[in-house]
Amino acid sequence: MLEITGLSVNYGTIRAVRGISLTVARGELVSLLGANGAGKSSTIKCIAGALKAAGGSIVLEGQDITAANPEQVIRAGLATVPETRDVFPDLTVAENLMLGAYIHRRDQAGNRQNLERLHTLFPRLAERSNQPAGTLSGGEQQMLVIARALMARPRVLLLDEPSLGLAPAIVERIFEMIETLKKSGLTILLVEQNVNQALAVADRAYVMRLGAIVASGTAEEIRSGSDLSAHYLGG
Ligand SMILES: Nc1ncnc2c1ncn2[C@@H]1O[C@H](COP(=O)(O)OP(=O)(O)OP(=O)(O)O)[C@@H](O)[C@H]1O
Ligand SMILES: [Mg+2]
């Protein structure tokens, strides 16, 4: 479904991602783990088309999207929830959601249908449709950016640290929602610092360190790997 081969990302002379390869099969939930600065977000931004690859390739369902811009990537079927959790604060929840449906703006009936489905998944957002997004709690804003990404009707969803900075009860809800999305057949690449919870929902995982992948395997294998904490905490 998503095949990344030898991908590199540089910031000037800083080599943030150093030739990593990873795959996500259809319907799979794959977690990308690693300490702060490991290169996880750089990888996500590059797949999303927000950063240019310095080398390697990104192929989505057989289509080469390595040089695609963000809109082309979304049109190819891949949506991203970046770690910055940006909502348009002065726009209402409903307006924020409709922006996510930009590429389907001529299909209003389809968008209404998708919105109804998302309101079932995120009842809180339904209740707050007409409220400015800037007045939502942190957890609600995270739900909103995920729902907004889903308005693009992606087949693959990239999530960059959706649980970051949220209270444990809200984190629990986010992970439940991720499981629901997986059950619906969505293919997911999940970046997380919350290793235990990420491995609980993931089929497989990769561990990054200093721009490279240092471990990969099933969630079970990664969980039982004695070197995980060393890789993880070692930065
Ligand atoms: N805009 C930038 N300019 C220069 N260096 C950057 C830039 N963005 C990231 N880096 C560097 O690239 C490396 C990887 O950063 P990245 O944000 O991808 O890590 P990360 O794994 O997502 O970390 P975190 O868990 O803290 O979000 C780091 O050394 C970081 O300092
Ligand atoms: Mg990051």
Side-chain angles (χ1 to χ4, degrees), residues 11 14 16 34-43 45 83 160-161 193:
Y11 300 100
I14 297 172
N36 291 122
K40 306 177 302 294
S41 295
S42 302
T43 301
K45 286 177 198 163
E83 64 185 340
D160 194 350
E161 304 215 35
Q193 294 271 353

